[in-house]
Amino acid sequence: MRRKIIAGNWKMNLTVAEGTALVTALRDRCAKVSNMDIVVAPTATAIYPIAQVLAGSMIAVAGQNCHWADKGAYTGEFSPVQLKDAGCKYVIIGHSERRQYFAETNEGVAKKARALFDHQLTPILCVGETLEERESNKTFDVIAEQVKVGLSALSADEVAAIVLAYEPVWAIGTGRTATPEQAEEVHAAIRKQVAEIYGQATADKVRIQYGGSVKASNAAQLLGQPDIDGALVGGASLTADAFMGIILYEESKK
Ligand code: PGA
């Protein structure tokens, strides 16, 4: 049984005060949650204070991006070493907004994944097709390439420990969710690909989140699919009630 993992990606939202209030509420309301991993990914400026509030709680902190180098002359960037120092356990890499607006490539994602494991941080590696790619029947080719190259610098044990996130770009922030069947089809294909490259034991362990307009009202159906091991939540992670709605659905199945 893979343990579910629910992560909130705050993107470029919330001040330190707003984020602190949110995680204080989440920390208290999640105190008895035990059957899943919960992660929040604040904006970089809020990571350290948020990690302070969450120290000793069951909620882990993630970065939303990183550079692959440990340090150096890369104005505006931050490294895995710095994210770990600030309190992160996970780092999101390859998010479609980074790929789309900041020219993040599969090769760059592979370097970041390598650097994160070198510093005992867990990548949450995002993949997903655009609407145009889906409509021209390229979904499986695009995702296969993102998975193959993105994981290429990792060992089978590292792939078993990574978190993948399938986020169809057309479902992000649009209110238009993939149907559970559409999502499961891609998740199963990703797991099959991992099995082919890294072996079945690795594929059985790797967790694959779904992301794209996940909210309390559709979480049950999505998370009920055999190959969907959690959710990467954007908009619905910005308030305690919306995020808890997703978490409590999972918890109630204990
Ligand atoms: P959304 O974002 O839930 O607002 O669609 C998901 C994501 O981009 O991680």
Side-chain angles (χ1 to χ4, degrees):
M1 257 307 260
R2 291 179 293 271
R3 186 172 161 88
K4 291 251 191 316
I5 174 163
I6 313 273
N9 172 14
W10 296 0
K11 309 191 179 184
M12 197 170 73
N13 293 295
L14 306 183
T15 61
V16 170
E18 289 164 345
T20 302
L22 173 55
V23 292
T24 302
L26 292 175
R27 181 192 63 193
D28 297 345
R29 290 170 69 175
C30 287
K32 292 207 175 72
V33 174
S34 59
N35 62 340
M36 73 190 89
D37 294 332
I38 300 176
V39 181
V40 292
T43 310
T45 49
I47 287 173
Y48 181 72
I50 297 290
Q52 299 288 299
V53 174
L54 293 176
S57 80
M58 61 82 66
I59 304 177
V61 178
Q64 297 178 9
N65 175 39
C66 69
H67 197 280
W68 52 77
D70 288 358
K71 60 179 177 177
Y74 300 103
T75 301
E77 293 289 314
F78 36 89
S79 72
V81 177
Q82 293 170 318
L83 289 171
K84 191 174 174 186
D85 178 53
C88 288
K89 289 213 162 59
Y90 297 83
V91 179
I92 298 170
I93 54 175
H95 191 281
S96 64
E97 286 148 18
R98 304 245 18 123
R99 293 178 188 264
Q100 202 179 337
Y101 307 133
F102 304 99
E104 185 144 342
T105 62
N106 288 332
E107 290 71 21
V109 170
K111 286 188 189 176
K112 292 178 182 193
R114 178 70 263 144
L116 290 169
F117 274 112
D118 287 343
H119 294 287
Q120 297 81 46
L121 287 158
T122 301
I124 299 178
L125 193 167
C126 305
V127 299
E129 82 287 2
T130 63
L131 185 59
E132 197 192 345
E133 288 162 347
R134 176 159 283 263
E135 285 175 346
S136 51
N137 291 323
K138 292 197 192 124
T139 299
F140 292 96
D141 291 345
V142 168
I143 304 232
E145 183 70 8
Q146 290 172 339
V147 170
K148 185 181 89 181
V149 180
L151 298 179
S152 60
L154 305 180
S155 68
D157 283 349
E158 286 164 342
V159 173
I162 204 170
V163 178
L164 295 173
Y166 168 55
E167 300 202 300
V169 178
W170 46 272
I172 295 177
T174 57
R176 184 177 164 191
T177 321
T179 64
E181 295 72 28
Q182 279 175 323
E184 170 60 21
E185 190 185 23
V186 176
H187 281 238
I190 294 172
R191 200 176 304 285
K192 185 160 169 280
Q193 184 186 0
V194 170
E196 281 161 11
I197 307 176
Y198 298 95
Q200 191 61 48
T202 299
D204 287 342
K205 285 191 197 128
V206 66
R207 295 186 290 180
I208 311 174
Q209 297 177 310
Y210 170 79
S213 299
V214 176
K215 45 187 183 283
S217 59
N218 59 26
Q221 277 204 310
L222 287 161
L223 292 163
Q225 300 299 312
D227 289 294
I228 300 186
D229 308 311
L232 183 54
V233 185
S237 71
L238 295 176
T239 66
D241 283 347
F243 199 47
M244 286 310 297
I246 297 165
I247 291 167
L248 291 176
Y249 154 73
E250 262 309 299
E251 175 69 6
S252 69
K253 290 196 312 189
K254 214 165 43 177

